[in-house]
Amino acid sequence: MTLPSYPSYMDFDRFIDVARLVALDGFITERLGRRMHATADRAFHTGPFLLDPEAPNLPGARMIELSRSRLAEDYYDLDRTELWAPSEDAAEFAPLMEFIATLPFAATGRMLIMYDPSGRAVSAHKDHDSAELCHEFIWLRTNRSKPFFMLNPETGERAYVTGHSAWFDTVNQFHGADASGAPSFSIRVDGVFDDAFRARIPFPSENRAATPSIWADRGPA
């Protein structure tokens, strides 16, 4: 099996309405400003798969859960869309939810905003260790204030997201963010891509987690 190029990600700006996403920046920033000093939002946890075992797994970011599962939290259920429903926080971010409805998903699962009032670094980590699990998701940002990267564990090389959206391999490479020193946030929407969109994607027969990087190597169909 030939692995694709790492670090890498699939740029999704060509598949989404970037202008509409960017237009949400002021709205989301204002809403987050109301919550910056709140304590109710859950702390973001990187999970156990850290590049540096001594790095913080609670880097300081918080999460606004726009949807919640009816079962106990399980990372492997992010795309079991039948389990997820909008949370009470979704109404506060109605224009964002309307934008999410335009994305190429047949159905959505977990949806969340990750924000940090201080723009601290996010430790390089992997999301899970199952090479045959490929979560279908889109990572989004309305501005470029969060320096988000993918990292090749063999070479230490970093690939920074240059646009406003991405899909990436969360198993065969690490990802994280540099400190910005200013409030920053990003959005992640998990689900199942619709059939027309999935037809574009070169899913491999093994190591399905590598799919976004394989697609990035080939270029969009």
Side-chain angles (χ1 to χ4, degrees), residues 38-74:
T39 58
D41 295 329
R42 290 176 58 199
F44 168 70
H45 189 278
T46 63
F49 305 107
L50 290 161
L51 176 65
D52 176 1
E54 302 302 316
N57 57 18
L58 290 168
R62 302 173 189 159
M63 301 184 296
I64 300 173
E65 298 162 300
L66 301 174
S67 64
R68 290 196 177 93
S69 173
R70 59 180 173 82
L71 297 183
E73 184 171 339
D74 186 335

Side-chain angles (χ1 to χ4, degrees), residues 180-201:
S180 66
S184 63
F185 64 91
S186 59
I187 302 150
R188 175 165 162 167
V189 180
D190 282 83
V192 176
F193 293 136
D194 64 43
D195 288 344
F197 195 72
R198 293 185 98 249
R200 298 171 174 259
I201 302 172

